[in-house]
Amino acid sequence: MESSNNVEWPHRAVVTAGMPYGNKPLHFGHVGGVFVPADCFARFLRDRIGADNVRFVSGTDCFGSPIDEGYRKLVEAGGFEGTIADYVQRNHDAQKATLDAYGISLDIYEGSGIGHAGEVHQAVTNEVLRRLHESGHLHKRETLQFYDPEAKTFLNGRQVVGRCPVQGCKSEKAYADECDLGHQYDPRDLISPRSSVTGSVPEMRPVQNWYFDLPDFADYLRDWVKLEERDPDVRAVVTETIEEFLVPPIIFVKNDLHDAYLGVRDRLPEHAFRPAEGGKQSFELEFPDIDARDDARDVLAAAGIRFRTGKALVPFRITGNISWGVKAPEMDGTSGLTVWCWPESLWAPISFTIAANDARGLPREEWRRFWCDDDAEVYQFIGQDNIYFYGVAQPALWAAMQEGGNRDLEPSGSDLRQTNLVANYHMLFGSKKASSSSECKPPTADELLDFYTVEQLRAHWLALGLDQRAVGFKPKAFEPDPAKRADARVSDPVLKEGALLTRVFNRLARSCLYEAKNNFDCFMPLGAVTPEVRDRALGTMSRYERFMHRVELHSIMSLMDDFIRYANKWWSDGIRRAQNDEDEALRRQVLVDSFYLLRIATLLMHPVVPQGTEKICDYLNFDFAEFFSWNYDFESMDELCGAAELGEGRHLVLELPPKADFFRPHPSQLKK
């Protein structure tokens, strides 16, 4: 099928679903908010452009302070006796089992420090850092790091907790240089820091690390985000979040400290003063660059003047001083450092793509066809908290790596493609933000499967519309009020889309196959489809393709609800007329039309509910690769059949046993 108007698909594509930290199992937000949408899109692309042209990659983020801290606490509590590598491997295995249970069709799920992918990732990291260094965008900086004098150790990011210093942020869970809402800041600005190791107030001691000169790419990022704004497929939350960081560096000072500010004003670098307006509680000091802002911060701090900083581009930390991490190569005599988990997680999908290709026996340079060629695209599914890293830091890093160098693992002769960011809002648990580290403890993805089927959950999550807004996930099985949970009059929101599957879609498939068995000797009759039916199907496919191009998966679900109900009604109305009139020609035509409608519905629902649709394909007796392909005109079922079948005007289907189902409710939902 030719692409719809204004819809073009790449020849090759990478889909990635972020990287869960290796410190815990997956809760429903991981699976439903990121992995299921990514899987749906990856499955569609395989059907649309061919499975060999798609790489769906992800893996466990094996490093970072959340893992260090989780491991330390568990060992201290007597809950784990192995090494930190054992701890990560255990969590990775649990994550992979969960993803497998939900039918997440990844080409690879290893980890940044696990298996062959971990070895590749170390090599890629070495090359990336060397290239950034050679291009002049990597510099050593002496900064202050938190040190616990009681424990006599430097603290990693998650071992320091305070209040976020970014103006307007109300987060009470801020770590060394990043709060739980994703804001970045200098560790010196953290408000009321405490060591989670001993509970003491930590000291600041100097350390040397490598930093990427992110502020140097401000103009590049402004030009890039303008292009993104003109692309109707880019979600507004992406460009709006990026632009929040592309402003001059600003310091906010409370109005009641104005006199104190006047006392040090002449010692501050050149800046613009803006008084508080509209009832605001702080006035603003705007500086020409980040260095001037940092000099001003030192002056204000020395004078005892409290302040907050605004969002701005700051040097992006590349390395750290903890032992558990991807090793940084020795550069300019600096050795023994590890790479901060966020930078290396940005290029980890490249490592995973290489490892996935290695498993297929492909040449090492094959990864460039997916990441560098003009006819390739990369789609990154992320949560809104991570837009800073993927939408600000990553584009600048990619641009910097185009300057100089030519190594085996780097782009050669073509640029590393900037990626398409598919950012979802939070999936709430009820009406509250759910996080495994918050007071609102969500169910794990595994626990949900005790009450719902995978396909019920997949269909419901895709229908929520997380690309539009934060949405509450409200499974009745986890309703905190026992009375509401037991009240049969209270419906379960999770089952709304499941009813379309277990009732309407199921009925359509069963009806077609039972009619073929009972009146056509288990053969599907072939022939021309009624024009109204064909036009409705082709129109639905065209709209579906446009929605999928924008990754509007909730619109896909709404569209398919209408189409499957239309198909079921066409069957029931038509077969009733044929039976009442005893019109065998009409009976045959209704079945021709209905099998055609079933084919289109099954193809379009394949990315959403793969297990049930593949079972339908089995009973229709077609090859998966042929049936789940868009490379047809979709005029009739004839195009799927061989010459002998066309000559006989029929195609053999498998006999469906009595009371067989393609989509079943969860056993817990059946009446006892």
Side-chain angles (χ1 to χ4, degrees):
M1 181 180 183
E2 293 295 326
S3 291
S4 306
N5 292 336
N6 302 319
V7 174
E8 294 184 5
W9 297 105
H11 289 175
R12 282 166 298 281
V14 175
V15 179
T16 181
M19 297 173 65
Y21 277 126
N23 64 330
K24 54 195 170 187
L26 301 177
H27 66 67
F28 74 85
H30 289 127
V31 178
V34 178
F35 276 102
V36 166
D39 182 68
C40 177
F41 191 69
R43 286 179 180 274
F44 165 75
L45 285 177
R46 292 187 187 114
D47 293 345
R48 191 67 183 86
I49 67 175
D52 288 341
N53 298 318
V54 179
R55 299 290 183 271
F56 181 22
V57 302
S58 184
T60 300
D61 193 343
C62 298
F63 305 107
S65 54
I67 296 168
D68 274 332
E69 186 64 357
Y71 173 70
R72 182 188 68 81
K73 289 180 177 179
L74 194 60
V75 170
E76 285 185 358
F80 196 78
E81 295 181 352
T83 66
I84 191 170
D86 296 332
Y87 170 72
V88 171
Q89 184 69 55
R90 183 192 71 170
N91 291 323
H92 165 79
D93 292 343
Q95 292 172 359
K96 189 175 188 307
T98 299
L99 295 173
D100 289 343
Y102 277 87
I104 308 301
S105 58
L106 287 152
D107 291 290
I108 184 173
Y109 191 78
E110 288 191 10
S112 53
I114 294 174
H116 178 60
E119 297 171 0
V120 172
H121 188 52
Q122 180 65 70
V124 171
T125 298
N126 292 343
E127 297 299 335
V128 167
L129 295 195
R130 288 189 179 116
R131 181 157 191 171
L132 290 172
H133 182 254
E134 289 171 2
S135 65
H137 294 296
L138 216 57
H139 292 99
K140 278 188 291 187
R141 292 169 60 98
E142 184 176 277
T143 59
L144 297 175
Q145 184 171 335
F146 287 109
Y147 181 86
D148 188 324
E150 290 187 26
K152 295 182 173 54
T153 184
F154 281 103
L155 301 172
N156 66 42
R158 290 297 175 105
Q159 291 175 331
V160 183
V161 181
R163 298 202 313 274
C164 181
V166 173
Q167 178 70 10
C169 182
K170 300 185 185 305
S171 174
E172 296 290 330
K173 186 172 285 187
Y175 304 108
D177 54 7
E178 175 191 4
C179 79
D180 63 342
L181 297 179
H183 297 140
Q184 302 288 299
Y185 44 80
D186 191 289
R188 289 178 294 174
D189 295 338
L190 181 65
I191 299 172
S192 302
R194 288 277 174 181
S195 166
S196 63
V197 177
T198 64
S200 63
V201 177
E203 300 174 354
M204 299 294 287
R205 295 192 178 184
V207 294
Q208 278 200 335
N209 273 297
W210 289 101
Y211 283 76
F212 171 65
D213 290 332
L214 183 57
D216 289 353
F217 288 83
D219 290 339
Y220 172 84
L221 290 170
R222 291 188 185 99
D223 291 341
W224 181 70
V225 79
K226 287 178 183 177
L227 292 174
E228 295 293 282
E229 286 176 330
R230 292 197 288 269
D231 187 339
D233 293 345
V234 176
R235 295 175 181 176
V237 66
V238 173
T239 52
E240 289 169 0
T241 302
I242 295 171
E243 287 179 330
E244 291 176 359
F245 292 91
L246 303 181
V247 295
I250 295 175
I251 287 177
F252 298 86
V253 182
K254 293 284 189 182
N255 293 332
D256 56 8
L257 295 174
H258 184 260
D259 289 343
Y261 154 71
L262 292 177
V264 299
R265 178 178 57 184
D266 293 341
R267 302 206 303 271
L268 295 175
E270 181 180 350
H271 63 279
F273 170 84
R274 283 198 291 271
E277 296 179 351
K280 293 182 179 179
Q281 297 180 347
S282 301
F283 57 88
E284 301 177 7
L285 309 177
E286 180 182 309
F287 297 88
D289 55 52
I290 200 68
D291 290 333
R293 189 205 71 173
D294 288 348
D295 290 343
R297 184 180 56 195
D298 292 339
V299 173
L300 294 172
I305 299 174
R306 290 284 302 276
F307 60 87
R308 288 202 175 204
T309 54
K311 295 178 183 178
L313 296 181
V314 299
F316 188 55
R317 181 163 63 90
I318 297 295
T319 62
N321 305 83
I322 61 176
S323 59
W324 178 246
V326 178
K327 306 303 179 187
E330 181 175 337
M331 297 181 293
D332 290 353
T334 301
S335 61
L337 298 177
T338 53
V339 182
W340 183 35
C341 65
W342 260 115
E344 49 95 355
S345 69
L346 298 177
W347 54 77
I350 298 176
S351 306
F352 294 148
T353 304
I354 294 171
N357 285 345
D358 286 350
R360 295 177 179 226
L362 297 173
R364 177 55 62 90
E365 64 273 10
E366 181 75 6
W367 76 275
R368 294 193 185 100
R369 301 182 66 209
F370 289 87
W371 283 88
C372 304
D373 285 3
D374 289 340
D375 59 1
E377 294 287 352
V378 178
Y379 302 89
Q380 292 185 318
F381 285 71
I382 59 174
Q384 67 181 105
D385 287 354
N386 295 332
I387 293 175
Y388 169 80
F389 297 104
Y390 290 99
V392 178
Q394 179 182 288
L397 284 166
W398 268 215
M401 281 193 286
Q402 311 311 327
E403 302 176 17
N406 182 19
R407 299 179 184 277
D408 181 51
L409 297 177
E410 296 172 351
S412 176
S414 56
D415 289 346
L416 194 60
R417 300 282 291 172
Q418 294 292 3
T419 56
N420 301 283
L421 299 182
V422 185
N424 278 343
Y425 286 90
H426 295 299
M427 188 189 296
L428 308 176
F429 184 43
S431 60
K432 298 179 180 179
K433 181 182 176 183
S435 168
S436 54
S437 59
S438 71
E439 294 181 2
C440 178
K441 299 295 183 185
T444 67
D446 294 336
E447 289 171 334
L448 288 172
L449 296 181
D450 292 334
F451 300 93
Y452 303 97
T453 69
V454 166
E455 299 200 318
Q456 286 173 336
L457 290 166
R458 286 176 63 108
H460 179 65
W461 285 331
L462 293 172
L464 287 179
L466 293 173
D467 61 312
Q468 304 289 311
R469 65 196 183 285
V471 182
F473 174 53
K474 302 174 181 179
K476 185 180 178 183
F478 291 85
E479 164 61 50
D481 184 339
K484 290 182 179 178
R485 193 166 61 245
D487 191 343
R489 296 169 299 175
V490 178
S491 62
D492 190 337
V494 177
L495 300 182
K496 177 179 181 294
E497 295 75 22
L500 176 71
L501 302 174
T502 58
R503 298 174 186 173
V504 190
F505 197 7
N506 209 41
R507 187 184 307 131
L508 175 66
R510 285 161 49 101
S511 298
C512 289
L513 287 162
Y514 284 146
E515 178 68 16
K517 171 188 174 182
N518 295 334
N519 292 294
F520 291 86
D521 298 325
C522 260
F523 282 95
M524 171 198 302
L526 302 178
V529 176
T530 300
E532 176 191 335
V533 169
R534 184 198 62 224
D535 292 347
R536 177 65 179 258
L538 294 178
T540 297
M541 293 184 75
S542 180
R543 292 180 64 198
Y544 179 103
E545 191 174 24
R546 290 197 297 273
F547 287 144
M548 193 62 82
H549 200 264
R550 296 173 65 93
V551 201
E552 289 184 5
L553 302 181
H554 69 288
S555 297
I556 292 288
M557 294 303 299
S558 177
L559 177 70
M560 293 311 300
D561 186 285
D562 288 344
F563 182 73
I564 292 171
R565 293 183 189 280
Y566 165 84
N568 192 69
K569 189 174 188 304
W570 184 270
W571 157 259
S572 58
D573 289 352
I575 202 66
R576 186 182 305 113
R577 289 197 310 272
Q579 290 171 343
N580 290 341
D581 297 344
E582 296 183 353
D583 187 337
E584 292 306 308
L586 177 58
R587 179 189 294 274
R588 186 182 191 281
Q589 185 61 50
V590 169
L591 197 55
V592 167
D593 292 343
S594 297
F595 267 118
Y596 172 79
L597 289 168
L598 177 62
R599 173 204 179 180
I600 301 302
T602 305
L603 170 67
L604 300 187
M605 287 296 286
H606 183 228
V608 179
V609 283
Q611 184 176 353
T613 52
E614 289 173 5
K615 185 177 180 181
I616 292 173
C617 179
D618 274 337
Y619 274 91
L620 293 182
N621 198 23
F622 288 112
D623 177 76
F624 279 13
E626 292 294 316
F627 189 83
F628 295 113
S629 170
W630 286 61
N631 292 326
Y632 290 96
D633 294 327
F634 296 99
E635 291 291 324
S636 70
M637 298 299 288
D638 297 24
E639 58 194 0
L640 286 171
C641 299
E645 293 175 314
L646 294 175
E648 294 181 1
R650 61 184 189 171
H651 165 78
L652 182 67
V653 297
L654 303 186
E655 181 176 340
L656 186 66
K659 298 182 180 180
D661 286 307
F662 297 96
F663 305 97
R664 293 184 60 83
H666 191 275
S668 68
Q669 298 160 11
L670 300 175
K671 293 181 180 180
K672 300 293 192 289

